[in-house]
Amino acid sequence: MKIIVITLVILYLSMSLFAGVPDNDQQKLIGEFWFFLNQKNYEKAISSIEKYLNEQPSTLYEYQLGKAYLFSGKKLDKAKQIFLNFIQNYEQLDDKQGLTLYGAYWRLGMVYELMGDLDKAKECYQQGLDIENNYYCENALKNLGNNTDFNRQLTEPEKLSYFFKIWHYSNDFFAFFDQIDLDWENVKMEYLPRVQATKNNEEFYWLMTEMLALLKDGHTNVNVQGLWKPSFITTKIIDDDVYFIKDESYRKNAMYPGDKILKVNNIPVADAIGNTKKYISASTDQGMKIVLEQLLINFNNCSSVIIEYENNGKILTETIYLSPQKSKQNLPYIESKLLKDNIGYIAVNSMYPTKEIIPLFDSALDSLFKTKALIIDIRNNGGGSSGTGFHIVSRISDKPLPVFDSKVRIYSVDMFDKWFSDKEMFDVFYSVYQGIFPDTTDFNEKLLREKFKKSEYQIPSHPPIYDKPIVILIGPKTFSAAEDFLAPLHGTDRVTLIGKSTGGSTGQPLVLQLNDEFSVRICSRRCWCADGYEFVGKGFIPDIDIEKSIDDIISEKDMTLEKAILYLDEEK
């Protein structure tokens, strides 16, 4: 779940909104750039993005080129000019693509450090800190003169410090210990010697990824860019079988959609699944499976992968190698159309950014207002801001609905100082949180305790209300704030859910930025429906479940949408 702060999810940026949609050759250069950057092959990354920029100017990729120059230690004068230009033109950018002004000062400061000008570097870090209080510039000031060893290995005391901080913050704030069979104290004793035995940063990061995955929560995980090395092969897991679906890299392979995968690097596929699952943070089986289907075939500890598979009764093998992902256009925030029999269709593919999505949704709904029924498709919606979904609810319910109930485990007042430092977040959601601030008068009586107050916040109706029948299409990719949208509707008869169970994970993560490349999230807020249904760990269950065979999946026939249309036609 996200309210104001947005979940940090590791995604490769596939295109620049500053530059429009690139052609196929340009797309390949973008894919190569991100691929080589994550491999820390800066020379090839620079070559790819320079070729791209020669044909297609882009503020985003100009900025990324500056970062690549910085990381390589080459062409520092050009890197300096890129960041200076970005800073000077920042206010004129219509779409900043998530790039921040303080971030540019931070990068510029590191360029000056590499150039030996510590006074200029200090000035940049301070300017970035003056713009917005942030970890990066604050930490850079503390480590002035030591911020540019990008391959520095953590010392054992640093690893231990990070390990104990992660363990203790999880111990104090993680919201779902009662839902998992785990002795967290024993975890500490088991992992301590393993931390000490790690030989490099990557081993340590993987160990922490494994440890947090024990908590079985989709909002509790490690974030290190480039740690996972995916093959970009999508599989489909049905019962005990794994099928090849597609390869989104630039490789040419012999496998066909529907081929059954038998072994991965000579390991039976069931064992390969077990080896990968232990690093994936998921709240439900369906949430785990959807991630596994993307990451099962990976290059995490190898430079090539041997796949044994069955094609038309023949057992074959294929060796694949690392390759960039093909760039593709992101789904639009909102898609709408008029279907047959006067049924409206709106796909809501994200819950962020709220300010852009709400007017797009309102416009789509208004254009379909005279339809006899409506389908809202959130199967590809991984979340964003809860407020977006609440607005949608306000347009389809003629009476106020409660958002959800929630509680947090409060260990210190500092927790809420961090959460509510954002005034907009505090003002908008104060009514939800009021009453759960700690009562410090009995703080010493019991350090770790539960505080709870039933939420009194309700979503008011926002006329004009669409009052015809509504079907919502859901699936395991329906996650986080997209599930928050479903929570107020649960237990009402306002909508019918069709598809597969949702991902079953939401909550307010506490983010720990441990160094420039390493952060973790710990889910610290527990939410459930106002009618008492706890969907975290279960998901929202469809009223009509749609089962698909491998042939159905390969055909790309949208059985879920077809069923929704049939259902609404029968509801006359």
Side-chain angles (χ1 to χ4, degrees), residues 207-219:
L207 188 63
M208 293 299 93
T209 301
E210 177 186 315
M211 185 178 81
L212 283 183
L214 295 173
L215 296 176
K216 298 181 180 180
D217 181 75
H219 282 69

Side-chain angles (χ1 to χ4, degrees), residues 251-470:
R251 283 184 298 265
K252 293 182 179 180
N253 53 59
M255 287 184 290
Y256 286 88
D259 286 350
K260 186 185 294 185
I261 296 173
L262 305 175
K263 293 182 179 180
V264 180
N265 277 340
N266 301 314
I267 299 173
V269 71
D271 295 332
I273 286 175
N275 292 340
T276 306
K277 280 177 69 172
K278 68 181 182 179
Y279 298 110
I280 296 175
S281 293
S283 302
T284 62
D285 290 342
Q286 63 268 24
M288 171 67 75
K289 189 169 80 167
I290 205 72
V291 179
L292 266 175
E293 289 172 345
Q294 301 296 321
L295 296 177
L296 176 60
I297 299 175
N298 60 70
F299 295 93
N300 290 344
N301 57 4
C302 57
S303 58
S304 63
V305 176
I306 301 170
I307 302 173
E308 182 179 303
Y309 63 99
E310 181 181 343
N311 173 276
N312 291 326
K314 295 180 180 179
I315 307 301
L316 306 170
T317 62
E318 181 172 358
T319 302
I320 63 170
Y321 300 90
L322 280 161
S323 172
Q325 182 183 26
K326 291 179 181 177
S327 295
K328 57 183 179 180
Q329 188 169 8
N330 294 328
L331 288 172
Y333 296 138
I334 298 289
E335 300 172 273
S336 64
K337 56 187 173 182
L338 180 64
L339 303 175
K340 66 179 182 179
D341 299 330
N342 196 31
I343 294 173
Y345 171 90
I346 303 176
V348 183
N349 296 316
S350 178
M351 292 298 179
Y352 184 83
T354 299
K355 290 181 180 179
E356 293 185 37
I357 296 173
I358 284 178
L360 290 172
F361 176 83
D362 283 344
S363 176
L365 182 62
D366 292 344
S367 72
L368 298 169
F369 213 75
K370 294 182 178 180
T371 55
K372 71 173 188 180
L374 179 66
I375 296 171
I376 299 176
D377 189 348
I378 57 171
R379 287 175 292 175
N380 292 306
N381 193 320
S385 169
S386 304
T388 306
F390 297 161
H391 175 80
I392 296 172
V393 170
S394 77
R395 293 296 314 274
I396 63 175
S397 175
D398 60 1
K399 58 183 178 181
L401 293 175
V403 285
F404 42 63
D405 293 337
S406 67
K407 63 181 175 181
V408 296
R409 295 171 57 212
I410 299 175
Y411 189 78
S412 74
V413 180
D414 293 341
M415 181 68 175
F416 281 89
D417 289 343
K418 290 180 180 179
W419 278 7
F420 295 114
S421 59
D422 187 310
K423 186 177 185 302
E424 182 181 4
M425 182 176 183
F426 185 91
D427 290 346
V428 172
F429 288 92
Y430 176 78
S431 61
V432 178
Y433 289 99
Q434 65 178 336
I436 60 174
F437 291 92
D439 178 0
T440 55
T441 58
D442 65 348
F443 183 73
N444 293 323
E445 186 176 317
K446 191 174 182 182
L447 290 178
L448 192 59
R449 64 195 187 278
E450 296 275 355
K451 282 282 186 177
F452 166 72
K453 176 177 168 57
K454 187 176 178 67
S455 169
E456 297 176 356
Y457 179 75
Q458 293 194 327
I459 304 167
S461 297
H462 188 126
I465 305 299
Y466 186 90
D467 59 1
K468 314 291 180 38
I470 295 176

Side-chain angles (χ1 to χ4, degrees), residues 38-57:
N38 282 309
Q39 298 297 314
K40 298 187 178 180
N41 188 335
Y42 300 122
E43 184 175 340
K44 288 188 176 181
I46 288 169
S47 175
S48 295
I49 206 62
E50 284 181 336
K51 291 176 184 176
Y52 175 88
L53 290 168
N54 284 339
E55 297 294 326
Q56 194 163 345

Side-chain angles (χ1 to χ4, degrees), residues 1-15:
M1 176 192 94
K2 282 288 142 198
I3 295 176
I4 297 297
V5 181
I6 304 307
T7 302
L8 298 176
V9 181
I10 303 176
L11 295 173
Y12 297 141
L13 293 173
S14 59
M15 64 181 58

Side-chain angles (χ1 to χ4, degrees), residues 62-86 104 107-108 110-112 114-115:
E62 187 82 14
Y63 187 96
Q64 300 302 332
L65 176 60
K67 286 171 56 178
Y69 286 152
L70 168 63
F71 295 148
S72 71
K74 299 176 180 179
K75 300 185 180 180
L76 295 178
D77 283 330
K78 288 188 175 181
K80 179 180 77 170
Q81 196 57 51
I82 286 171
F83 293 125
L84 284 171
N85 289 342
F86 180 86
R107 296 297 186 190
L108 181 59
M110 286 191 281
V111 172
Y112 281 125
L114 280 177
M115 298 174 81

Side-chain angles (χ1 to χ4, degrees), residues 486-505:
L486 297 174
L489 299 167
H490 190 269
T492 72
D493 59 0
R494 181 66 193 98
V495 300
T496 300
L497 305 183
I498 297 180
K500 302 298 290 183
S501 295
T502 63
S505 181

